[in-house]
Amino acid sequence: MTYKILITDNLSPQSLVILEEADDAIFDVVTGLTPETLAERIPEYDALIVRSSVTVTEEVFAAASKLKAVGRAGVGVDNIDIDAASKRGVIVMNTPGANSIATAEHTLALMLALCRHLPQAYTTLQAGKWDRKVYVGRQLYRKTLGLIGMGRIGSQVASRCQAFEMDVLVYDPYLSDEIAQKLNVKLVDLDELLGQADFISLHAAYTEETAKIINHETIAKMKDGVRIVNAARGALIDEAALVNEVKSGKIAGVALDVFVDEPLPKDSPLLGVDNIILTPHLAASTLEAQEFVGIQVIEQVLDGLRGQGFRNALNMPA
Amino acid sequence: MTYKILITDDLSPQSLIKLEEMDDVTFDVVRGLTPEALAKQIPEYDALIVYSTVTVTEAVFAAANKLKVVGRAGVGIDNIDIKAASMRGVIVMNTPGANTIATTEHTMALMLAMCRHLPQAHTSMKTGEWNRKVFVGRQLYRKTIGIVGMGRIGTRVARRCQAFGMEVIAYDPYLSDDVAHKLKIKPVDLNDLLSQADFISLHAAHTEQTANLINRENIAKMKDGVRIVNAARGGLIDTDALVEALKSGKIAGAALDVFIEEPLAKDSPLLELDNVILTPHLAASTIEAQRDVGTQVVDQVLDALRGKDFRNALNMPIGDVDVLKTLQPYLSVAEKVGSLHAQLADAAINRIEIEIKGREVRDHIKPITVAILKGLLSPVLVETINYINAPLLARKRGIAVSETQGLPTIEYPNIISCRVAWDGGEQTMAVTLFNEDEPRLVQMDKYRLDVRPDGVMLVIGGIDIPGFIGHVGTLLGKHNINIAAFRNGRDKPLGNTLSFLRVDADVPDSVMDALRSLDSVVWVKKVILD
């Protein structure tokens, strides 16, 4: 039995080696497909591997007569019509965990860059100015970190911040006391977190409850001069409220890797504010994560096709 | 008793409040003073508090009749003439430690920003771009970081790197295995660090030994694609060599907070590279550090004025100025003995025995011992060694120090003898002063000598055969190295020799190797003394 796999994005060379060495699999890498051209190609394939650039619509699933599985190299599945997949018995898998170290490190990078005005200081230096007094920073040491949501990434952020001797508070209705104790973090309700945190970092999934959890009302409950980092999902923040409160000085600074609209629109008010640091959704973008993500998705797809179970399936049939 | 304090820069509000609340203190804050203007202001003050912007020269000390203490808010003391201070019995103190956390965190900020191209990505976004592929980064997780210098800052950087899942290896010749084990880091020699590290972070003091530590030779030994962070001192890196390696890609990235010249020159080649991150010496610039540095210097200065404590004093506060004047040259030569021992010992020294004979020196074994320790530990240790902390640091590093009698050294009116030992070896040296101010090394092990220890020196163990001095002299002459002094000691005719040469210029490794290849030369070492 030879499985045919279509890969619609760039996976790392190391991951493709796994497919090359598999006796029972052949694959094609075709990038730049629209849903229409993907639908045209898909009929002969047993599995599809995507990242985030290709949208897998109902139309595609309708044409995918042989398709058994879709593997998303990465976490977010907004680009895949999961209901359409489920209707046809196609399993959709992602690769949580493969990006978590990369995201945890990026969160710390953003937090420290925020504390020390790093991008601004470098830009000024490049412009020929040696301006030290303007860029006096803040320490993390003995400050309080408030994590909103603590899954894999949040807990990795917590342990790193504890090495900086921060106190860590966590608001996460789904976290058990046991785990909180083991990780040496204090479980609190949202208001307590908002009232005590010097730094707030978001690590929650995007749900009805967490949509725009950072808004005018919650910002008002924060400490004056709080600093906020978001490398999770743009939609957790009301961007207009955020800009307002950074300008007012209530919020001392913000570092964002994710936005409600991506790519970030050129006229976004976030662009015009001095103490907002921005990166273009780089949290998972490390060489190591890309390698790991590629290896993980291929292994998951092969194992699934070979009847060894579908790991990290998002829509296992009952 | 009311103490008058002159403060020549902006101290944090908290520290000024502290001073205001003291009954026995009045103070003035005067900014922007040149040395001349400072000399005019200083006569009425008991203490002076400075940062880095004011230079405290010999002329200032000459005019400072009532001055007892100079407090430096911060660490670097390039702007203070300490010798001039010591000669007048003025204590100079700094505030190490107050900046430690700030510098540690800035090091981590630089390292992470470099890994993720943060400033470049931010700039790109501010211009309206959304460019993700260009900014793919690297993780710290499971990579190896080589830390050069494990003092206060290096050890804290190590701990944070470990929390990121990094392997920590460290080069610090005075790091004991005990401490390394406790910190769960692997002590290595410099070459091993260079060849094994994915990241290198510098936390060493800038000394003769560490100047240009990152040079072409050492860069060649590094892994391809290494990344370097320097928030210590600009002089640790040969900038040209670094730029070359960044352009070739041998070094994948560098994050620098310090430079050989500050402010950074507008035409510095560093500004044209896109795989560097630069910040204008911000490592110690946090609100918290400024507050702590201010309150710390105020506490220290007040304690010193009130005679309670002299912590972080960088010079020996010998109260009696006449004694200090007589002793100062002996302290200076004692430092040289310590430095010579450190540079010539075959391994890490773990025992020091000191014997002092002579009218001028016999009552002052403590300061002389401390001076020897200062000379011994200064060449490589990260922290600033001073007369107060030298014994403590020696103890921390497991060096046993004792006064002794009966060392096998020759008789001189005033002589300081010092024997050091390491696992598997020992060496003894004796120094004296000629004319009360000319230092002389008069003995090393069994060899009698008579040489002024100073500058660049070659120490040669050789065989006493006819032509030995000629061979060495000719070879050095061929390489254009001028000999200022050539002093030879031998145990017996046609036996073994020990020579000390003072030379006018540094001696490159190639010449050292050429010397070693001479028949009459058994070993050669180079020492550098201030």
Side-chain angles (χ1 to χ4, degrees), chain A residues 100-109 111-112 140 145 147 152-168 183 185, chain B residues 105 108 112 116 139-142 156 159-166:
Chain A
S100 55
I101 294 281
T103 306
E105 291 191 8
H106 196 65
T107 303
L108 266 294
M111 207 181 304
L112 284 159
L140 298 181
L145 171 69
L147 295 179
R152 219 186 254 101
I153 299 170
S155 54
Q156 284 166 354
V157 168
S159 62
R160 283 150 181 75
C161 287
Q162 282 161 342
F164 283 81
E165 303 203 32
M166 297 185 87
D167 284 321
V168 182
L183 296 172
V185 301
Chain B
E105 292 192 5
M108 300 304 296
L112 284 159
R116 309 307 283 261
Q139 293 173 187
L140 298 181
Y141 185 68
R142 296 220 174 134
R156 284 169 176 75
R159 200 176 321 141
R160 282 147 184 76
C161 288
Q162 284 164 337
F164 280 81
M166 299 185 88

Side-chain angles (χ1 to χ4, degrees), chain A residues 102 105 116 122 128 130 132 137-141 143 163 271 273 276 278-283 285-288, chain B residues 102 105 116 122 125-126 128 130 132 137 139-141 143 163 263-264 266 276 280-283 285-288:
Chain A
E105 291 191 8
R116 309 307 282 259
Y122 182 25
W130 181 267
R132 299 183 60 222
R138 286 292 189 288
Q139 293 171 186
L140 298 181
Y141 184 71
K143 300 285 165 48
L271 288 168
V273 187
I276 296 184
L278 309 156
T279 53
H281 204 148
L282 296 177
S285 291
T286 62
L287 198 70
E288 298 86 352
Chain B
E105 292 192 5
R116 309 307 283 261
H122 171 83
M125 282 203 70
K126 294 285 260 195
W130 180 265
R132 299 184 61 224
Q139 293 173 187
L140 298 181
Y141 185 68
K143 300 286 165 46
L264 183 64
K266 295 198 176 140
V276 295
H281 206 148
L282 296 177
S285 292
T286 60
I287 291 281
E288 298 88 350

Side-chain angles (χ1 to χ4, degrees), chain B residues 468-494:
Chain B
F468 162 71
I469 292 181
H471 292 153
V472 172
T474 306
L475 194 150
L476 289 175
K478 225 170 46 189
H479 290 272
N480 230 356
I481 293 171
N482 205 23
I483 301 172
F486 195 144
R487 298 286 187 266
N488 208 30
R490 64 181 183 183
D491 53 5
K492 60 179 189 287
L494 300 179

Side-chain angles (χ1 to χ4, degrees), chain B residues 160 327 429:
Chain B
R160 282 147 184 76
L327 201 56
M429 289 194 218

